[in-house]
Amino acid sequence: AHPVALGEGKMDSVMADKVTNDATATIRAIAQVRQRNVRWAEDAVRRSLSLTDREALDSGVVDLVVPTETDLLRELDGRTMRVGTEQRILHLDSPRIERVEMNWLEKFFHIITDPNIALLLLSLGFFAIVIEFYTPGTFGPAIAGAILLILGFMATGSLPLNWAGVLLLLLAAILLVVELYTPTVGVFAIGSALAFVLGALILFTPTAPTSPSLPQVSVNSGLIAALAALVLIIGILLARVAVRTQRSRPHSGVELLLGQSGIAKTDLSPIGTVLVNSEEWSAENVGADIVARGDHVEVVGIRGTVLQVHKSTAISPPADG
């Protein structure tokens, strides 16, 4: 019953004494009203004492020790209880028991506050953001990623979160994006997997000591291994795509599209989709003029798998077959 600061907060010695004295006075008053062991109640606060159930019964801290709810009701039937200033007799021979179940929203929050689910939500959110960089202009992965990240951080709200772990997970996602635009045959992918494993291992390890009464949470090692393997696979696939794009010859690669004309399928602000040679491509507007849907564009560069275009003044149909 000794008072402690919640979370990672700390109290100075003066405040700690005040809080302890206040808690002691409160528990002494309760023990006197309920006719409990006042001396032990005070020691429970000042000396952080604990008792087993039988020791508590022998010391006059509790009235009963019973194994089941049915036994409890049977033992309490006919017992005289003090309610305020009145003495009342409990009649529990045929009690009406009401059970309050969690609603669907409470059940949902209860599920996602599992550390494994929280890590999964954060990981999938970061992966979705990476996919958005691979297919810019679709916006679907970005929206899904944002929702998953919000749910993930909501789930970690009641867990002992270590922000260093979150930063390592973010670094893992950034390294995957770098892998897409800097072909290094998987170097950044390996670094991303290592950062992810370290982040997942320390994600729910608080940097400051917590109260012994708070539960210790951890993430399943099998889940960490599976997600790390997924990070590595995604990184290697992105590396292969980047290398293949860089090494492709003009007669068979996207470089053949340089100088070609096309039509904007979406607004380019600055990233969207264009139609060039009867194929849809992710494109980035690098010109000064605004490119709206239906405008003619000209391919002036290529960055990874993204075409760099600007608005074309040509009014002839583009070479799209």
Side-chain angles (χ1 to χ4, degrees):
H2 190 85
V4 295
L6 293 178
E8 299 181 8
K10 295 181 179 180
M11 294 185 292
D12 58 42
S13 58
V14 176
M15 180 59 69
D17 288 341
K18 289 183 177 181
V19 173
T20 301
N21 290 334
D22 181 70
T24 301
T26 301
I27 202 169
R28 284 176 58 88
I30 295 174
Q32 291 172 353
V33 170
R34 301 302 178 191
Q35 298 181 353
R36 298 293 195 271
N37 189 328
V38 178
R39 178 62 182 272
W40 183 89
E42 182 174 352
D43 288 341
V45 174
R46 295 195 179 277
R47 299 170 53 196
S48 302
L49 296 184
S50 300
L51 294 174
T52 66
D53 55 351
R54 292 297 172 182
E55 290 172 341
L57 183 63
D58 295 338
S59 300
V61 178
V62 299
D63 290 329
L64 299 169
V65 175
V66 291
T68 65
E69 180 184 86
T70 302
D71 294 329
L72 175 63
L73 295 175
R74 184 175 61 251
E75 291 290 339
L76 292 179
D77 186 31
R79 182 180 289 262
T80 301
M81 306 292 293
R82 180 179 177 181
V83 181
T85 59
E86 300 180 7
Q87 297 290 333
R88 297 184 181 180
I89 299 177
L90 296 178
H91 300 284
L92 301 175
D93 53 339
S94 57
R96 179 170 59 90
I97 300 176
E98 295 183 3
R99 302 189 183 277
V100 181
E101 302 290 343
M102 291 187 291
N103 59 38
W104 67 270
L105 187 59
E106 291 169 337
K107 290 180 180 179
F108 173 74
F109 285 133
H110 179 70
I111 291 174
I112 67 174
T113 50
D114 181 281
N116 296 294
I117 301 298
L119 174 63
L120 191 61
L121 289 172
L122 291 175
S123 302
L124 294 179
F126 285 129
F127 291 158
I129 299 298
V130 172
I131 293 174
E132 178 64 33
F133 278 94
Y134 180 63
T135 58
T138 56
F139 301 111
I143 295 174
I147 294 174
L148 289 171
L149 287 176
I150 291 174
L151 291 176
F153 284 116
M154 184 183 300
T156 59
S158 58
L159 296 172
L161 183 65
N162 187 335
W163 282 101
V166 176
L167 292 178
L168 283 170
L169 295 183
L170 178 61
L171 176 62
I174 293 174
L175 291 177
L176 285 181
V177 176
V178 173
E179 185 67 67
L180 176 62
Y181 298 106
T182 308
T184 55
V185 199
V187 174
F188 286 107
I190 296 175
S192 176
L194 291 176
F196 178 86
V197 171
L198 291 175
L201 288 174
I202 69 172
L203 185 61
F204 300 116
T205 305
T207 56
T210 59
S211 169
S213 63
L214 295 177
Q216 299 297 318
V217 297
S218 60
V219 180
N220 185 282
S221 57
L223 177 62
I224 295 177
L227 291 175
L230 181 60
V231 171
L232 189 59
I233 292 173
I234 293 176
I236 293 176
L237 291 177
L238 292 177
R240 292 184 61 184
V241 170
V243 170
R244 186 168 59 248
T245 300
Q246 186 184 51
R247 295 179 178 178
S248 59
R249 297 181 179 180
H251 63 80
S252 59
V254 293
E255 284 81 359
L256 188 63
L257 299 176
L258 288 174
Q260 294 285 342
S261 297
I263 294 179
K265 301 294 290 183
T266 64
D267 295 341
L268 303 186
S269 57
I271 294 177
T273 306
V274 298
L275 182 67
V276 180
N277 286 347
S278 299
E279 295 181 340
E280 289 191 1
W281 292 85
S282 295
E284 178 184 10
N285 179 20
V286 295
D289 296 329
I290 297 176
V291 177
R293 179 180 180 182
D295 287 345
H296 291 271
V297 296
E298 180 181 351
V299 181
V300 295
I302 300 169
R303 179 170 57 86
T305 58
V306 179
L307 303 183
Q308 294 180 320
V309 302
H310 63 65
K311 188 173 182 179
S312 174
T313 56
I315 58 175
S316 58
D320 58 2

